[in-house]
Amino acid sequence: MPHIRISDPNLLQQLVNDLSQETALVVTQVDEDRLLVQILGSYSSDGMRLATFLRLRAWEAAQRTQGNEVFVEIVD
């Protein structure tokens, strides 16, 4: 289960809201700048990590088009 850290905690709730729109994702805030993301289904841990990575890159790209320079990383 990937843990996610965001560079701008002010955007954390927006990230939670965006990720939570997908019914296959369970998102839990674990700290002021960290989330736990679980993908429902039969993913291996590597598959879950890759799927999460791709979703996060898409979210970052969308934020940059709005002028938000934010970085999100998967942490162990």
Side-chain angles (χ1 to χ4, degrees):
M1 293 178 279
H3 281 82
I4 308 304
R5 182 173 43 216
I6 189 169
S7 63
D8 184 351
N10 295 318
L11 295 173
L12 184 71
Q13 191 57 50
Q14 186 174 349
L15 177 58
V16 169
N17 293 343
D18 288 352
L19 291 175
S20 296
Q21 289 182 10
E22 291 194 43
T23 58
L25 293 180
V26 178
V27 182
T28 307
Q29 185 172 346
V30 295
D31 202 352
E32 68 181 21
D33 66 345
R34 289 184 187 227
L35 301 174
L36 174 65
V37 177
Q38 295 173 288
I39 302 174
L40 304 176
S42 56
Y43 285 89
S44 67
S45 60
D46 287 340
M48 188 179 299
R49 188 176 179 91
L50 177 60
T52 302
F53 175 83
L54 294 173
R55 284 179 173 88
L56 294 175
R57 296 298 79 83
W59 186 82
E60 283 178 338
Q63 290 302 307
R64 288 190 185 110
T65 66
Q66 298 175 23
N68 296 323
E69 194 62 33
V70 62
F71 299 97
V72 183
E73 64 180 328
I74 297 174
V75 293
D76 294 320

